Amino acid sequence: MEVGINSRLKRWLPAVLFLLLGVILSASLVPNELERMQWEIPGMPASYPVEQKCRPVFLSVMSFLPFIGAMAYAFMDTLARYVSRVFISTFLLCTAILTLIWLLADFTDNIERFRSHFDSPLADTLEFYGTQIPMVMNLILPYTLLMGALWTLSKLSGSSELTGMIQSGRSLLRLCLPVFFYASLVALVYGMCGFHWAPNASLYRQLMLKGSKNDTSNTLIYNNEIGKRIWRIARPPVLTRPGDPLGDVIVEQFSQESPGRVINRIEAERATWDKASASWIFHHAWLRNDETAKAHADTYSDEFRLSIEERPFQLITPLQSQRPDALGTTTILDHLHSRANNADARRQLRTEWHVRIAKVFSCLILVLIAIPSAVTFQRRSPMKGIGIAMLLAAFLLFLYEVCPSLGAAGVLPSWLSAWLPNFLYFGVFCYMFRTQLAHRSAMEWLADFREKHRSKSSLPA
């Protein structure tokens, strides 16, 4: 009786712990994201687009994914739990090693920049790398999934454990279901990171390492082409604290009818954003419009309030100058909906949107390729198959550079350029599965297929 209680406790305890962890993460991350959205998105929360409202939802879902995985593990049978433990431990180890290698290499390369750019090098460096984690995960997760699946299946195959499991009456694909399930959870994390936080991490990287802490020439210029308004900010706030005041601000409003004609100009010592009224407050400001210009006298105000659509985060992140792959999915969809870009820019944005969806499925495609690459039922080393799988993974990275370029240039449709690598690699998986595991060449498989088709067609109706 006591053994049964201990067994059930060991099975369900991880799920309970991950549930508590999910509650803590969700309670800390979601309010912070809602706070950031108020600095970033024009308008009031009720008017936010649906894709922007997905951001806190995705963070909450990611917080509870470990709990979902632990619950599934608790309901699995003994063989499935064993395969799951081997895969999860291997995947986490590969992810930790590659993340550490990237962090050490990047820190070594940028240590002098951290010393010259940051006021508090240690604290600001930790904050900087905290913003980079989503980008790192978006870079390495497909390949750590592949390595975890290759190591797991080659270990089980090399020790003949996989043969014993198959002799128990289970198919190879059924034995790999736990690997597919946990790879799907990781693919969800990969897709959610790429939705907003990974592209923004690359933007943070560019802006946080721009200039130096003693450089006063880094004036930011934001051009609102639709609103015909230009901001010049001589002393912008730190990127991770967009709510701090803007220092030495000039705002020029141009005429819609007469391009190049300034109808209003505000020059202020500092400007702060008031979230409650969704308006800007300019402190110690000089105002000039058509009337004051005629009188050759600007109007001075200790505090001047103005309701305009720009938010602090928009002003300190010049998104209009970024490549499409450095824009969050919410920004890409906003640009597509606004129709403010030319045909070439819209095609690039549409291609990047399709690429982000297709790459989520590429994680699962790589796991599929790991099955025929690592599994062997003969007395031979799986290293040849593993080497081929790693070369295929490297070539997939190359295809995701070339194919989207063809889509952005208009050579291929946007959706086809994004999904073409997945289509090709699924065909590669089918070929490898038939030849590597059945030990038949493609011609033998084709001849067998023709023979079966001929025999079916010869049967009397």
Side-chain angles (χ1 to χ4, degrees), residues 157-176:
S157 178
S159 61
S160 299
E161 292 176 280
L162 200 59
T163 303
M165 295 177 185
I166 291 176
Q167 289 176 347
S168 68
R170 305 190 182 198
S171 66
L172 177 61
L173 291 179
R174 182 184 173 188
L175 289 172
C176 292

Side-chain angles (χ1 to χ4, degrees), residues 146-451:
L146 173 66
M147 289 188 288
L150 287 173
W151 177 269
T152 300
L153 296 175
S154 62
K155 175 182 180 298
L156 296 177
S157 178
S159 61
S160 299
E161 292 176 280
L162 200 59
T163 303
M165 295 177 185
I166 291 176
Q167 289 176 347
S168 68
R170 305 190 182 198
S171 66
L172 177 61
L173 291 179
R174 182 184 173 188
L175 289 172
C176 292
L177 278 179
V179 177
F180 294 148
F181 173 74
Y182 288 106
S184 300
L185 295 183
V186 176
L188 283 176
V189 174
Y190 176 84
M192 291 177 188
C193 286
F195 178 76
H196 174 79
W197 298 277
N200 270 27
S202 63
L203 180 62
Y204 292 165
R205 184 180 187 83
Q206 297 174 30
L207 296 180
M208 292 177 75
L209 295 180
K210 182 181 178 181
S212 67
K213 62 186 179 182
N214 297 319
D215 188 3
T216 59
S217 63
N218 271 339
T219 299
L220 285 180
I221 298 177
Y222 179 85
N223 182 14
N224 185 342
E225 296 182 359
I226 299 177
K228 301 296 182 182
R229 194 162 38 249
I230 293 180
W231 291 65
R232 293 179 176 84
I233 308 166
R235 293 184 290 113
V238 179
L239 185 65
T240 53
R241 293 189 291 272
D244 291 353
L246 313 178
D248 294 334
V249 181
I250 299 176
V251 182
E252 293 179 329
Q253 177 68 58
F254 292 84
S255 172
Q256 297 282 354
E257 294 78 16
S258 304
R261 174 170 165 260
V262 180
I263 58 176
N264 284 301
R265 175 187 169 94
I266 303 172
E267 186 172 346
E269 182 179 312
R270 72 180 190 276
T272 56
W273 172 255
D274 183 15
K275 291 187 297 182
S277 60
S279 61
W280 284 95
I281 303 175
F282 297 90
H283 304 272
H284 305 293
W286 291 91
L287 292 79
R288 175 183 297 179
N289 52 33
D290 289 341
E291 295 300 324
T292 57
K294 291 178 183 178
H296 300 286
D298 296 345
T299 303
Y300 175 79
S301 175
D302 286 333
E303 185 175 294
F304 175 71
R305 187 180 294 267
L306 183 65
S307 294
I308 45 181
E309 63 181 355
E310 286 88 339
R311 293 290 175 105
F313 192 81
Q314 293 175 279
L315 299 179
I316 61 178
T317 54
L319 298 178
Q320 65 271 20
S321 65
Q322 298 298 313
R323 293 171 44 187
D325 57 356
L327 299 178
T329 305
T330 53
T331 306
I332 290 177
L333 293 175
D334 182 60
H335 287 340
L336 289 174
H337 293 161
S338 69
R339 301 183 179 275
N341 299 278
N342 57 41
D344 292 338
R346 290 176 58 78
R347 188 167 54 246
Q348 294 177 10
L349 294 170
R350 195 179 299 110
T351 301
E352 179 62 26
W353 183 74
H354 283 291
V355 166
R356 295 194 182 174
I357 301 175
K359 281 187 173 181
V360 176
F361 291 89
S362 70
C363 298
L364 302 179
I365 295 290
L366 288 176
V367 173
L368 285 175
I369 287 178
I371 298 175
S373 300
V375 174
T376 175
F377 299 111
Q378 297 178 337
R379 289 184 174 274
R380 61 182 177 87
S381 172
M383 293 308 298
K384 177 183 176 181
I386 293 176
I388 292 174
M390 299 303 292
L391 287 176
L392 287 173
F395 188 66
L396 180 64
L397 184 64
F398 170 75
L399 286 179
Y400 267 118
E401 291 293 331
V402 174
C403 292
S405 299
L406 297 177
V411 178
L412 293 175
S414 297
W415 69 269
L416 181 59
S417 65
W419 288 92
L420 184 59
N422 285 353
F423 295 154
L424 293 175
Y425 269 63
F426 186 76
V428 170
F429 159 72
C430 294
Y431 170 77
M432 294 179 67
F433 192 86
R434 298 296 301 183
T435 57
Q436 296 293 105
L437 295 180
H439 308 294
R440 295 189 300 175
S441 67
M443 296 305 296
E444 291 173 330
W445 176 80
L446 184 60
D448 182 57
F449 175 79
R450 287 175 177 173
E451 182 65 28

Side-chain angles (χ1 to χ4, degrees), residues 26-224:
S26 182
S28 60
L29 294 178
V30 172
N32 183 60
E33 189 66 19
L34 292 172
E35 177 79 11
R36 292 191 64 83
M37 288 169 63
Q38 292 184 354
W39 296 114
E40 300 174 18
I41 309 171
M44 301 305 290
S47 64
Y48 290 169
V50 176
E51 57 268 19
Q52 293 284 7
K53 294 179 180 179
C54 289
R55 287 167 50 181
V57 175
F58 285 166
L59 277 180
S60 183
V61 171
M62 278 196 289
S63 300
F64 288 99
L65 283 181
F67 166 69
I68 295 174
M71 285 291 293
Y73 179 85
F75 282 104
M76 291 178 182
D77 56 30
T78 304
L79 281 181
R81 288 203 303 272
Y82 175 69
V83 175
S84 299
R85 284 198 303 271
V86 176
F87 172 71
I88 292 172
S89 59
T90 305
F91 164 72
L92 292 178
L93 180 62
C94 293
T95 303
I97 291 174
L98 286 186
T99 302
L100 183 61
I101 291 173
W102 186 91
L103 289 175
L104 290 177
D106 189 78
F107 179 77
T108 303
D109 188 49
N110 293 300
I111 187 171
E112 290 301 324
R113 291 186 180 181
F114 296 153
R115 294 174 60 183
S116 62
H117 287 56
F118 296 156
D119 294 320
S120 303
L122 179 59
D124 290 342
T125 298
L126 292 176
E127 183 179 24
F128 170 77
Y129 280 116
T131 66
Q132 300 303 293
I133 292 299
M135 184 187 71
V136 178
M137 294 296 103
N138 212 241
L139 289 173
I140 68 174
L141 282 183
Y143 307 101
T144 56
L145 274 176
L146 173 66
M147 289 188 288
L150 287 173
W151 177 269
T152 300
L153 296 175
S154 62
K155 175 182 180 298
L156 296 177
S157 178
S159 61
S160 299
E161 292 176 280
L162 200 59
T163 303
M165 295 177 185
I166 291 176
Q167 289 176 347
S168 68
R170 305 190 182 198
S171 66
L172 177 61
L173 291 179
R174 182 184 173 188
L175 289 172
C176 292
L177 278 179
V179 177
F180 294 148
F181 173 74
Y182 288 106
S184 300
L185 295 183
V186 176
L188 283 176
V189 174
Y190 176 84
M192 291 177 188
C193 286
F195 178 76
H196 174 79
W197 298 277
N200 270 27
S202 63
L203 180 62
Y204 292 165
R205 184 180 187 83
Q206 297 174 30
L207 296 180
M208 292 177 75
L209 295 180
K210 182 181 178 181
S212 67
K213 62 186 179 182
N214 297 319
D215 188 3
T216 59
S217 63
N218 271 339
T219 299
L220 285 180
I221 298 177
Y222 179 85
N223 182 14
N224 185 342

Side-chain angles (χ1 to χ4, degrees), residues 5-44:
I5 294 176
N6 291 335
S7 177
R8 287 194 294 270
L9 182 62
K10 289 176 63 176
R11 176 179 293 193
W12 293 100
L13 182 60
V16 174
L17 294 178
F18 281 122
L19 176 61
L20 295 176
L21 177 63
V23 171
I24 294 172
L25 288 176
S26 182
S28 60
L29 294 178
V30 172
N32 183 60
E33 189 66 19
L34 292 172
E35 177 79 11
R36 292 191 64 83
M37 288 169 63
Q38 292 184 354
W39 296 114
E40 300 174 18
I41 309 171
M44 301 305 290

